[in-house]
Amino acid sequence: MDSQTSQSSQASQSPHPPHTFQVDLRGLVDLLSHHLYSSPRVYLRELLQNAVDAVTARRAEQPDAPALVRLHPDGGGLRVEDSGIGLTEADVHDLLATIGRSSKRAEGLEEVRSGFLGQFGIGLLACFLVAERIRVVSRSARTPGAPPVEWTACDDGSYTVRTLPDSARPEPGTTVHLTARPGAAEWLAPERVLSLARDFGSLLPYDVRVGEEPVTALPAPWDRPYPSPAGRRVALARHCHELFGFTPLDSIGLDVPLAGIRGVAYVLPAAVSPARRAGHRVHLKGMLLTERAEQLLPDWAFFVRCVLDTDSLRPTASRESLYEDETLAAVREALGERIRSWLTGLAAGDPERLTAFLAVHHLGVKSLARHDRGMLRTMLPWLPFETTDGQLSLEEFAQRHPVVHFTRTVEEYRQVAPIASAQGIGVVNGGYTYDGDLVEALPSVRPGTVVAELDADTVTAHLDAVDPAEELALSGFLAAARAKLDPLGCDVALRAFHPLSVPALHLDDRAARHEQARAAAEEQSDDLWAGILGALRGSAPRARLVLNHLNPLVRRISSLRDPELIGTATESLYGQALLMAQRPLRPADSALLNRAFIGLLEWATHGEGDR
């Protein structure tokens, strides 16, 4: 006999009878309100959901049955009537008084389960979030001879059940009466009930009203006929403004029949951060499920907000978000493909609208193009990049330059852009988000294109060398300049380049900056860490200050004979080159700038006194 059988046998022979769990209803309501549901407002969704499911169940058996849901706020209370399947006394004991039991699992309803909104059987329990007493009067359509039955429950966990005369409920269906709990009457006020009903139930397939005010507004805006595409865009823009509070750049239809999805994606009119998770509105079989469905679209599609209706996605237990499963993953891919198709269509047939879109959301398209070579190929003539030739697409830039040089950081680009441009070197700034990756991917979609990362050695190699005799004559000056900058990890070179107005160019690369950071950390570390960091010392090239031999100021400085003055002037050129490159200054660099400025002032005032 295995252990499981043994335990079962022991349990059956035990003299003590089994016990059932006792449920503290007040504690359970507190748990629901603080941990399962985001707001008491969901009580109305549960009421609508139960009513709609009851109508769906009745229509499965009686297709011609009325499909009505009526809500009547009445000063501190709410009455909800439906023409649904109704309940017998046995159903009431079995379904309403058993927490966790769902009427969707009841006998005879399995065949229409797919038409139900609810899945978890919590149902009326959520109404205790706003009510201290719930009274249900119901008459079964499945058992015509059964009398009406009344179930009354209080938030202390007690309930009563009794049968009523036929006159209490002549027709099949259910009426739910809520009595507001202290402090919650506002949730049952007529204006609040109407607002919540329209928010949750505007796409429900039945006739739902609050008093005489209609709740449903079918067909949905994206399914309505319009006289022209322009008229459709205007109507959807109005819908977007009412729903989300902004006027979209464009709207994208999200018709995915295989996934049971109909809806629309609205393109945001302003740029947003890729890290911002946009909330989307998702209706499940017409009932609003959530306004914050973050995982509905691929990460790259952060420039749209969606509203859609689906019958295929699964809700979580709170029915306020989507369950992450294979179906949701497939829907996410299908919706992403729909947005891709929209972009491709703009590129092929509406370049003006595409240009307006990219002026705002090029970052989102670049994010997509990183992983989708087809999209990169399509967008090559359109995506803007910062280059030494101005704002250009990669396609146009590659046509102008046999080699597409790029930098990996904005700082590197700022260092080399003016000089590279003057030397005829085309450079793309790859320091912005996604740009470097896209430049490197260019040969995969444009065969024959040569892409090369631009570093300090490449720039220096394109600068004209100084006549050897002239450089030899300035060897003393160069030696003094190098000695001054050596403690800063910077070499000095002499070249001739344009524009003439630039006296000096500071060049480094990531390897040189890493070496500078390592050396700075080594200076501030104890003996153990200094030894470890010293062992990491690399042979990477150091930063380089390239002096422009064509610049008049550099020529005058190179003719100085005073070593101290040469050092001060060199420090000044070094600091000015750093500022021109818009590089962040280290503490040592800031100290150097202050020292050079004071030194030049002292030299200038000393010379004036001598005169």
Side-chain angles (χ1 to χ4, degrees):
M1 180 183 298
D2 60 31
S3 60
Q4 193 173 25
T5 305
S6 176
Q7 292 173 4
S8 176
S9 176
Q10 292 173 10
S12 64
Q13 296 171 5
S14 172
H16 302 291
H19 299 279
T20 58
F21 286 102
Q22 300 299 310
V23 176
D24 179 355
L25 189 57
R26 289 185 185 274
L28 188 55
V29 168
D30 181 72
L31 180 68
L32 291 176
S33 61
H34 288 92
H35 299 284
L36 184 62
Y37 294 125
S38 62
S39 165
R41 71 196 297 268
V42 299
Y43 88 91
L44 193 68
R45 184 192 64 199
E46 296 293 340
L47 288 173
L48 283 176
Q49 182 170 285
N50 287 341
V52 169
D53 284 345
V55 172
T56 301
R58 184 177 181 187
R59 283 209 151 186
E61 300 181 7
Q62 304 172 17
D64 296 331
L68 306 175
V69 179
R70 297 289 184 265
L71 296 89
H72 302 281
D74 52 8
L78 175 64
R79 185 174 85 257
V80 181
E81 299 177 348
D82 69 66
S83 59
I85 193 69
L87 301 171
T88 64
E89 183 176 359
D91 293 334
V92 166
H93 283 290
D94 192 37
L95 302 175
L96 298 186
T98 305
I99 295 173
R101 178 71 60 84
S102 173
S103 63
K104 290 74 176 177
R105 293 191 290 269
E107 185 76 22
L109 296 187
E110 279 294 330
E111 65 272 15
V112 293
R113 180 183 173 94
S114 63
F116 290 115
L117 303 172
Q119 300 287 329
F120 297 94
I122 295 173
L124 286 176
L125 193 60
C127 293
F128 281 118
L129 296 172
V130 299
E132 64 178 3
R133 190 168 75 100
I134 302 173
R135 176 171 169 260
V136 177
V137 177
S138 187
R139 183 163 192 161
S140 174
R142 186 180 291 117
T143 311
V149 60
E150 178 191 69
W151 176 81
T152 304
C154 297
D155 60 1
D156 61 3
S158 63
Y159 73 93
T160 60
V161 179
R162 63 175 181 147
T163 57
L164 301 176
D166 289 348
S167 59
R169 178 84 200 193
E171 298 296 328
T174 300
T175 302
V176 179
H177 302 261
L178 300 186
T179 302
R181 65 191 308 154
E186 62 172 307
W187 292 104
L188 304 183
E191 298 81 6
R192 178 64 67 90
V193 171
L194 179 60
S195 174
L196 292 177
R198 284 177 171 169
D199 202 29
F200 283 119
S202 62
L203 300 184
L204 290 173
Y206 304 133
D207 182 5
V208 181
R209 296 175 183 266
V210 176
E212 297 300 321
E213 294 289 337
V215 168
T216 53
L218 295 177
W222 50 84
D223 285 331
R224 296 171 190 168
Y226 296 99
S228 66
R232 174 183 172 84
R233 281 199 296 272
V234 170
L236 290 179
R238 186 183 307 113
H239 174 250
C240 176
H241 193 274
E242 294 171 355
L243 204 61
F244 294 122
F246 66 84
T247 301
L249 284 178
D250 205 350
S251 56
I252 309 168
L254 300 179
D255 185 6
V256 187
L258 292 179
I261 284 178
R262 295 281 297 169
V264 62
Y266 293 117
V267 181
L268 294 167
V272 294
S273 167
R276 178 182 173 186
R277 306 294 295 181
H280 308 290
R281 288 177 63 97
V282 177
H283 296 255
L284 179 61
K285 301 181 180 71
M287 181 73 75
L288 178 65
L289 180 69
T290 178
E291 298 174 281
R292 299 182 301 275
E294 295 181 350
Q295 69 274 45
L296 186 66
L297 295 180
D299 290 342
W300 54 262
F302 53 83
F303 50 84
V304 299
R305 293 280 297 278
C306 294
V307 53
L308 55 84
D309 188 26
T310 175
D311 58 17
S312 62
L313 299 178
R314 290 174 56 195
T316 57
S318 66
R319 291 192 287 276
E320 293 186 303
S321 59
L322 297 172
Y323 188 81
E324 185 69 49
D325 57 9
E326 293 182 358
T327 302
L328 180 56
V331 165
R332 186 185 300 122
E333 180 59 32
L335 294 180
E337 184 56 40
R338 183 65 193 86
I339 297 174
R340 285 189 188 92
S341 299
W342 171 77
L343 284 169
T344 303
L346 288 186
D350 201 338
E352 289 186 4
R353 285 171 64 201
L354 178 62
T355 300
F357 166 76
L358 290 177
V360 179
H361 294 300
H362 59 272
L363 197 59
V365 180
K366 287 179 178 179
S367 174
L368 168 59
R370 287 172 64 218
H371 307 289
D372 188 325
R373 291 294 180 261
M375 182 54 62
L376 176 57
R377 186 180 297 107
T378 300
M379 291 293 127
L380 268 184
W382 308 103
L383 286 174
F385 288 79
E386 183 180 2
T387 78
T388 49
D389 293 352
Q391 285 285 117
L392 293 177
S393 69
L394 286 182
E395 176 68 30
E396 187 175 357
F397 188 83
Q399 291 174 356
R400 295 185 181 187
H401 299 277
V403 178
V404 178
H405 289 98
F406 74 101
T407 62
R408 290 195 179 275
T409 69
V410 175
E411 289 79 9
E412 291 173 355
Y413 178 80
R414 287 170 177 167
Q415 287 180 64
V416 303
I419 309 304
S421 179
Q423 308 305 312
I425 307 173
V427 185
V428 178
N429 185 354
Y432 294 116
T433 306
Y434 311 130
D435 285 10
D437 294 338
L438 293 178
V439 175
E440 287 188 292
L442 188 56
S444 68
V445 296
R446 196 178 188 277
T449 303
V450 179
V451 172
E453 183 176 352
L454 189 68
D455 55 21
D457 289 336
T458 304
V459 176
T460 305
H462 279 78
L463 304 180
D464 295 335
V466 177
D467 181 85
E470 291 188 48
E471 187 167 3
L472 182 60
L474 298 175
S475 58
F477 161 74
L478 293 174
R482 286 168 181 149
K484 196 65 176 180
L485 297 186
D486 184 69
L488 296 172
C490 183
D491 290 333
V492 176
L494 187 66
R495 294 288 187 274
F497 56 86
H498 293 274
L500 301 180
S501 58
V502 177
L505 177 66
H506 182 270
L507 296 176
D508 66 358
D509 53 25
R510 282 169 295 151
R513 288 195 293 276
H514 291 165
E515 176 62 20
Q516 289 176 349
R518 185 209 59 76
E522 182 180 357
E523 290 178 3
Q524 300 174 6
S525 301
D526 56 27
D527 293 342
L528 174 61
W529 282 108
I532 294 173
L533 292 168
L536 296 176
R537 183 182 294 112
S539 58
R542 308 203 311 165
R544 194 172 309 163
L545 182 68
V546 183
L547 302 177
N548 187 359
H549 188 53
L550 301 180
N551 180 267
L553 176 61
V554 171
R555 284 181 173 273
R556 287 197 296 271
I557 292 174
S558 64
S559 65
L560 296 173
R561 294 293 178 261
D562 183 350
E564 184 176 347
L565 185 55
I566 289 175
T568 301
T570 302
E571 287 181 331
S572 299
L573 291 174
Y574 174 83
Q576 189 266 351
L578 284 180
L579 294 175
M580 288 294 292
Q582 302 183 43
R583 287 286 310 280
L585 299 180
R586 299 172 296 167
D589 298 330
S590 298
L592 175 144
L593 281 171
N594 290 332
R595 185 170 64 247
F597 178 72
I598 296 299
L600 289 177
L601 281 179
E602 289 179 346
W603 177 80
T605 55
H606 176 73
E608 185 68 26
D610 287 347
R611 290 194 293 273

